[in-house]
Amino acid sequence: MPPVVRSVASLLLGVAFLMLANGAMSTLIGLRLSATESGATAVGMITAAYYAGLTLGSLYAHRIITRVGHIRAFSAFASVVSVAALSHALFVDAPLWAVLRLTQGFCMAGLYMCIESWLNGTATNESRGQLLSAYMVTLYGASGVGQQLLRLDDEAGVRLFMIVSILLTLALVPVALTRTTPPQLPNVSSFGIGRLYRSSPLGVAGVFISGAITGSIYGLAPVFGASSSFGVSGTALFMSALILGGMALQWPLGRLSDRFDRRSVIIGLSAALSLTSLGMIAAAGMDQPLALMLVAPLFGGLAFTLYPVCLAHTNDYVRREDMVSASGGLILANSVGAIIGPPVASALMTASGPAGLFSFVTGGALCATLYGLWRTRMRPPLPAEAQAAFRPLPQTTPTVSPLDPMSALRAR
């Protein structure tokens, strides 16, 4: 383990506990509600509530952190998230769960801010890449592995909520005992959407569509799995394949975008996602669970890579000193997409069946493809050597933006 990563190992351990729990939580909600009368509609609204909370937290949670400090704020946020998780076991009630997920989303944003500002405070210009990579692997890896906690479900339906609550509480321990000095929150002012769109129309449209797609996948893919006779274990495996596939393909596709016009890569990626989604619809129609499982890593890899490639495309058209604020604005645009997407996708699932999720993804990816083709006629391509190097950033809060190694160029 590199020394700089070892210095923040306790923070990353806290992230691992958080993502093990949060990854399992979103899937658990989908499984619990999939058998109810409201089904996909309820899950879509609850998922939108979570992302609404995450967006509000990205805008306002820093006030709490500034007022009481990182460790106290982290402890408070983690405690509330843990209580909210356990409260789901009291009643299976969609409006109550929407309020609980809204609360969890706000607090998760606060937790991300605490962790990310700590990592920013530790990072040097030379170590940002290593810290960002370690953080990304921890986020995606723990979330993917956390799906397997669903195998511990019990007939009473309480055990998993207890396990999630325990993990969220355990996330307090390494952070509370860390000897790393709490830093100041970075001053991350986000670009307005209008200004961002004028700089990179395709970048803004792409991250919005990406948010709608990935938000719908996180919330509604468990409903699809439950409706496809995967069972709990099969749904857990399906979700792990989607998430870990998203982690695996980001780097190779991102490096490909460094060598060619990024708009062409975005167009190709979106078109491939449309075709893969159609393949998922066909496999679901023929009742081929094995085919769905085999295609899931590719589907997840394409879906989760759209955001970082669009982010890199936007960075090609903003000034170096504006990259951090531009990234923050794109994360918020992505969050807005994640609020809008799940209710629309759930309506399609209600109208056309569980595979309506993939119809939604097909439509969204096709929109990105067509818009990208139109943009190629509006602006000449940048030479490959003029493009900024690809660096994947997680879709958490704007506080993560300074971890991008390109932000070090601001000081030069």
Side-chain angles (χ1 to χ4, degrees):
M1 181 185 295
V4 66
V5 177
R6 192 182 305 118
S7 68
V8 294
S10 61
L11 300 178
L12 294 177
L13 181 59
V15 173
F17 282 131
L18 284 175
M19 298 313 296
L20 283 169
N22 197 50
M25 188 70 194
S26 60
T27 305
L28 177 58
I29 288 174
L31 288 175
R32 282 287 186 273
L33 292 179
S34 61
T36 65
E37 189 172 321
S38 51
T41 301
V43 176
M45 296 306 298
I46 291 170
T47 303
Y50 172 79
Y51 284 106
L54 194 68
T55 304
L56 290 172
S58 296
L59 295 172
Y60 300 111
H62 66 90
R63 298 181 181 180
I64 299 173
I65 300 170
T66 302
R67 186 177 302 121
V68 304
H70 280 67
I71 293 179
R72 289 181 178 178
F74 190 96
S75 300
F77 289 137
S79 297
V80 173
V81 172
S82 178
V83 169
L86 202 54
S87 298
H88 284 79
L90 297 176
F91 305 101
V92 180
D93 182 76
L96 172 64
W97 282 19
V99 173
L100 292 174
R101 287 298 276 169
L102 178 75
T103 304
Q104 285 186 309
F106 184 94
C107 292
M108 284 299 297
L111 292 169
Y112 289 139
M113 280 187 170
C114 289
I115 294 287
E116 290 161 5
S117 58
W118 241 312
L119 294 176
N120 282 320
T122 303
T124 63
N125 291 348
E126 293 74 26
S127 66
R128 290 178 190 277
Q130 289 181 322
L131 287 177
L132 179 59
S133 297
Y135 184 49
M136 288 282 291
V137 169
T138 305
L139 283 174
Y140 279 96
S143 182
V145 172
Q147 306 302 316
Q148 301 308 307
L149 294 175
L150 297 170
R151 298 173 181 270
L152 303 178
D153 202 4
D154 64 326
E155 292 184 4
V158 176
R159 181 189 297 164
L160 275 177
F161 290 115
M162 296 174 63
I163 292 172
V164 168
S165 180
I166 289 170
L167 288 170
L168 290 167
T169 304
L170 284 175
L172 283 166
V173 178
V175 174
L177 296 180
T178 183
R179 292 179 293 177
T180 305
T181 303
Q184 295 292 321
L185 275 173
N187 182 18
V188 181
S189 56
S190 298
F191 265 32
I193 297 298
R195 184 182 174 191
L196 263 178
Y197 184 81
R198 289 190 294 272
S199 298
S200 177
L202 180 57
V204 173
V207 299
F208 174 82
I209 292 172
S210 169
I213 289 173
T214 57
S216 299
I217 291 172
Y218 273 124
L220 294 165
V223 178
F224 170 81
S227 302
S228 301
S229 302
F230 282 176
V232 173
S233 297
T235 300
L237 181 60
F238 182 66
M239 291 301 298
S240 292
L242 290 173
I243 295 169
L244 296 178
M247 180 177 69
L249 286 188
Q250 286 196 21
W251 185 253
L253 290 177
R255 294 298 294 170
L256 186 69
S257 75
D258 284 342
R259 302 184 61 183
F260 301 97
D261 177 17
R262 282 209 172 95
R263 293 176 305 181
S264 298
V265 175
I266 292 170
I267 292 166
L269 193 160
S270 301
L273 179 57
S274 292
L275 293 174
T276 306
S277 299
L278 289 174
M280 298 288 275
I281 294 172
M286 293 185 294
D287 194 20
Q288 295 292 330
L290 179 59
L292 289 166
M293 289 290 185
L294 292 176
V295 179
L298 175 61
F299 175 78
L302 294 170
F304 287 100
T305 303
L306 183 59
Y307 171 81
V309 176
C310 289
L311 171 64
H313 173 67
T314 303
N315 282 339
D316 293 337
Y317 290 96
V318 299
R319 296 178 302 174
R320 287 177 174 177
E321 60 268 26
D322 291 332
M323 283 183 177
V324 171
S325 55
S327 298
L330 289 174
I331 287 175
L332 292 177
N334 182 265
S335 297
V336 173
I339 295 171
I340 296 173
V344 176
S346 66
L348 281 175
M349 294 178 75
T350 301
S352 61
L357 170 62
F358 302 111
S359 299
F360 174 78
V361 175
T362 300
L366 184 59
C367 287
T369 303
L370 296 175
Y371 189 71
L373 288 170
W374 179 70
R375 287 304 307 170
T376 60
R377 303 181 63 181
M378 299 294 105
R379 177 187 282 177
L382 278 179
E385 59 272 14
Q387 295 182 157
F390 173 82
R391 284 286 183 181
L393 281 178
Q395 298 150 259
T396 50
T397 71
T399 311
V400 77
S401 303
L403 265 182
D404 186 347
M406 291 299 294
S407 66
L409 295 173
R410 294 180 301 157
R412 296 182 181 177

